Amino acid sequence: MGKVLQVRDVSVGYGEPLLEEISFDVQRGEVFAVLGGSGCGKSTLLRTLIGLQEPLAGRVHFTGIGPPARAMEPPSFGVLFQSSALFGSSTLLQNVLLPLQKWTDLPADAAAAVAMGRLRLVGLEPFAHYLPSEVSGGMRKRAGIARALALDAPILFFDEPSAGLDPVTSAELDELILTLAKGLMVTIVLVTHELPSILRIADQCIMLDRDARGIIARGSPKDLAERSTDARVRAFFRRQPLARSR
Amino acid sequence: MAAPSFTLSSDPAAGGPLRLRLAGSVVLDDGAELWRSLRGAMRAATEVDLDLAAVDRLDGGAAALLAAIASEVTDRGGRMQFAGASPDVARLLDLYDCRRGGRCEKASPVQPGLLDDVGSFAHDAAATTKAILAFVGDLVTGVVQAIRRPRTVHFGELGSLIERAGADGLPIVVLINFLVGAILGLQGAIQLHRFGGDQFLANLVGLSIVRELGPLMTAILVTGRSGAAYAAELGTMTVNEEIDGLRTLGQDPQRFLVFPRVLALLVVLPVLTVVGDLVGSLGGLAIAMTYLDQPTVVYLQSLERAVHLDDVGTGLLKSVAFAVAIGLIACQRGLATRGGAAGVGRSTTSAVVVVLFALVGLDAVFTWIFSLLDW
């Protein structure tokens, strides 16, 4: 296996830290979930991991692949944003073709074949020539995954992949993520607070807390759900309101 | 260019299928070479066996290319088989093999024909006409209800709308109208000076600016600033479902969003037009003083004799009609936005273009009517 991502003493936030001096490792080939309630800094941490935001302190190290977001080299990872972030004026196929045209020397027909292959993988081949506005939210997510996969990045980051999807579509997306992780052997780091998804697909997870400004639990989701003694973790996994002291 | 990390060889065999052997690391980085060499080796072969036993690494992109090439062979009535693949390689190929679900899709988009274009143009024209008629109908209903119940109109942001369209736009209106007056003055002064008609410069500049160019240029500037902003703002609200949200709250977007904007322009545009008339005339004065050495008082006395209050009135009447046209068209285009960011861009462009057409058309109609009435 081996570590593919090392986060050491990283603080993130906007001026004021939302998370202080957190450390964790992600192993190659695993599905790693970052959990936590709203406003705990999950998405800010993700932006820091993918290089869109500088950490306030600490370092993020990718093992065996380049540092994040170097402008002159192809990106070492793929990202699925919460809103899918597809270009609205381009078809799904054109969206997936974009990184292939930028970073490979494939002839046009070969690039189109690869992009079609990605869309086929996520079940969108018949919709290749549709615009993002002409397909459903779940399809847009899957197209976003196809685009994130375009360059065969060894690590994928997903921000709230199931947000706004119905349970069936959400379960289908979970299935797809499992297929990618096990079939393509890519490492997936996902930020979410969707419990069914976490329990179904994540191998390991960390749980962040806004008040603690850090990690309050780590391990397999099943272990945390069944064995954690922390009231905040138990409340999260049992979907119960947390009794806060005044 | 670095040598590819794979090798492709063929096993010469008398008769039977073409036997090819792929070895090494087959990855997307070498995709172009893989695509060229494999298709080149196969040429028009219809029976191909591809031995993958010596492939030690295959990534998703390369698997997609192999699957696409196999699909090409199948499409021309042949067959291509992968043999000897390790479990990992076989699993990847299986994921990308489009033949699993029947015929593979091709990447060529459907090009609409001439009849499709004509049909969709007619359909769009009918839909746009219907939308504009519905908008006007809603507006008339809204006006009646607003008069009966003025409190249902959202006057809360009227002040800021007036500030944004008026005070914020004042510098550009002053600058452009001054320059237009000066340009008109210079062109006029050159011609008039030849015939000794320097004293008519104020007539030329004053009447042209007050009756035509002042209202028109000011309206064009307000279209570029406020009209485009209204279309983009309402378009973004539409694609973000904020308009739908308003409707579910029982708010009429016409009264909540359109009325205040039209009202703001009705207040602002005549005022800006008067300012534009003044500075445009001053542009002419600047040329009279510098190019013709005409005393200020001479120019101003000529201006006073040439330009009457009804000339200013015709310009103001136009500005009122322009304000209504800018507000209504920009808001209608914004509310008719479909699609995402691209849709907002289309609406904004369409709003500006349609408003400019409307302004010039209205100006022509007004000028014709005024000439008939001898105003």
Side-chain angles (χ1 to χ4, degrees):
Chain A
M1 291 273 277
K3 294 166 189 167
V4 69
L5 172 64
Q6 291 176 286
V7 176
R8 289 288 174 272
D9 303 322
V10 163
S11 299
V12 302
Y14 301 90
E16 277 292 299
L18 284 164
L19 298 169
E20 287 180 307
E21 297 184 1
I22 63 167
S23 300
F24 61 90
D25 297 328
V26 178
Q27 304 292 327
R28 195 176 299 279
E30 74 181 3
V31 178
F32 187 91
V34 179
L35 320 178
S38 300
C40 70
K42 299 190 299 291
S43 293
T44 311
L45 174 63
L46 183 78
R47 288 177 61 80
T48 306
L49 295 181
I50 62 179
L52 291 179
Q53 191 171 324
E54 285 291 314
L56 300 176
R59 69 186 180 91
V60 176
H61 178 66
F62 289 83
T63 310
I65 55 179
R70 278 201 303 210
M72 301 304 290
E73 289 179 13
S76 317
F77 45 75
V79 183
L80 171 67
F81 289 94
Q82 196 169 343
S83 62
S84 303
L86 298 172
F87 292 107
S89 55
S90 304
T91 63
L92 302 188
L93 179 68
Q94 288 166 337
N95 267 282
V96 182
L97 269 173
L98 212 60
L100 291 165
Q101 289 166 335
K102 164 84 176 167
W103 296 110
T104 71
D105 59 352
L106 289 172
D109 52 354
V114 173
M116 269 298 193
R118 307 302 193 193
L119 287 171
R120 183 179 312 126
L121 188 67
V122 299
L124 288 179
E125 196 178 18
F127 303 94
H129 303 297
Y130 282 53
L131 291 171
S133 57
E134 296 170 334
V135 298
S136 69
M139 287 174 166
R140 281 198 288 275
K141 295 269 184 183
R142 283 192 275 151
I145 292 176
R147 190 175 68 175
L149 279 170
L151 293 173
D152 275 311
I155 181 163
L156 300 177
F157 291 93
F158 293 170
D159 189 7
E160 305 276 11
S162 308
L165 300 181
D166 66 83
V168 175
T169 310
S170 179
E172 286 170 357
L173 200 65
D174 291 345
E175 200 64 41
L176 176 61
I177 292 172
L178 279 176
T179 304
L180 298 178
K182 308 309 170 198
L184 300 184
M185 291 162 287
V186 293
T187 307
I188 294 175
V189 177
L190 62 99
V191 163
T192 184
H193 48 208
E194 296 287 328
L195 263 183
S197 290
I198 296 162
L199 292 168
R200 185 173 163 79
I201 62 178
D203 298 311
Q204 292 292 315
C205 65
I206 55 172
M207 186 164 172
L208 307 175
D209 184 75
R210 186 171 52 186
D211 296 332
R213 291 186 180 183
I215 298 171
I216 54 169
R218 64 181 81 210
S220 79
K222 195 161 179 280
D223 281 349
L224 293 189
E226 291 172 1
R227 300 199 181 96
S228 178
T229 54
D230 189 304
R232 295 164 294 185
V233 179
R234 284 206 311 273
F236 182 87
F237 278 96
R238 290 172 193 173
R239 306 178 82 156
Q240 290 172 339
L242 187 63
R244 292 180 185 276
S245 56
R246 288 173 184 272
Chain B
M1 183 192 282
S5 54
F6 69 87
T7 56
L8 179 68
S9 54
S10 60
D11 289 339
L18 172 67
R19 296 177 192 282
L20 297 172
R21 189 165 185 273
L22 204 52
S25 181
V26 187
V27 292
L28 184 62
D29 283 349
D30 299 322
E33 184 56 31
L34 175 70
W35 185 256
R36 271 190 295 269
S37 57
L38 191 53
R39 291 169 97 206
M42 287 165 47
R43 293 190 190 89
T46 52
E47 302 269 306
V48 183
D49 286 342
L50 183 61
D51 184 357
L52 301 172
V55 171
D56 50 41
R57 186 179 164 221
L58 179 76
D59 69 8
L65 288 175
L66 292 181
I69 292 171
S71 146
E72 278 183 359
V73 176
T74 309
D75 285 352
R76 59 174 185 252
R79 66 157 187 86
M80 181 174 180
Q81 285 189 330
F82 301 120
S86 67
D88 285 349
V89 169
R91 189 171 58 227
L92 258 185
L93 281 172
D94 194 43
L95 279 175
Y96 282 99
D97 191 351
C98 55
R99 292 169 299 180
R100 281 176 304 161
R103 191 178 162 76
C104 301
E105 295 260 338
K106 292 288 173 243
S108 52
V110 179
Q111 292 294 337
L114 182 65
L115 277 178
D116 293 319
D117 284 340
V118 171
S120 70
F121 176 79
H123 177 267
D124 290 350
T128 305
T129 309
K130 189 178 166 191
I132 291 172
L133 288 176
F135 183 81
V136 172
D138 283 351
L139 195 77
V140 171
T141 315
V143 168
V144 172
Q145 292 189 349
I147 291 169
R148 288 170 61 189
R149 296 171 62 196
R151 289 178 63 185
T152 58
V153 179
H154 181 60
F155 289 114
E157 60 173 347
L158 188 61
S160 72
L161 286 169
I162 288 174
E163 185 189 347
R164 270 157 48 198
D168 295 353
L170 192 61
I172 189 79
V173 168
V174 167
L175 179 67
I176 296 295
N177 276 293
F178 182 83
L179 290 175
V180 167
I183 292 165
L184 190 65
L186 185 59
Q187 293 293 345
I190 292 168
Q191 301 304 322
L192 290 170
H193 193 61
R194 286 183 185 173
F195 304 105
D198 294 2
Q199 70 274 21
F200 296 113
L201 182 66
N203 301 48
L204 175 73
V205 174
L207 285 173
S208 302
I209 289 285
V210 168
R211 292 185 70 101
E212 296 292 341
L213 290 176
L216 193 60
M217 287 308 300
T218 306
I220 288 172
L221 290 170
V222 169
T223 302
R225 287 190 79 258
S226 305
Y230 292 171
E233 188 180 0
L234 298 194
T236 307
M237 290 175 78
T238 304
V239 297
N240 286 343
E241 298 179 326
E242 290 173 47
I243 302 294
D244 293 339
L246 269 180
R247 288 201 173 97
T248 61
L249 295 172
Q251 290 281 5
D252 177 12
Q254 299 275 6
R255 270 172 282 168
F256 199 84
L257 296 167
V258 179
F259 280 12
R261 281 162 176 75
V262 175
L263 210 52
L265 290 183
L266 275 171
V267 173
V268 159
L269 199 52
V271 176
L272 287 179
T273 300
V274 170
V275 174
D277 290 349
L278 279 174
V279 292
S281 302
L282 290 179
L285 172 63
I287 296 300
M289 290 167 66
T290 54
Y291 188 81
L292 298 176
D293 289 327
Q294 203 174 68
T296 308
V297 67
V298 171
Y299 180 88
L300 291 179
Q301 281 174 348
S302 302
L303 193 66
E304 188 188 355
R305 280 195 299 273
V307 179
H308 302 114
L309 206 56
D310 53 353
D311 294 318
V312 179
T314 58
L316 286 179
L317 202 58
K318 284 181 183 180
S319 74
V320 169
F322 291 166
V324 174
I326 297 168
L328 290 187
I329 294 171
C331 291
Q332 192 277 331
R333 294 284 81 196
L335 291 173
T337 301
R338 294 292 174 272
V344 176
R346 278 195 299 271
S347 296
T348 309
T349 305
S350 155
V352 172
V353 171
V354 174
V355 170
L356 291 181
F357 265 117
L359 292 182
V360 175
L362 279 172
D363 193 42
V365 169
F366 271 113
T367 304
W368 181 63
I369 291 173
F370 292 154
S371 70
L372 284 181
L373 298 174
D374 205 20
W375 282 4

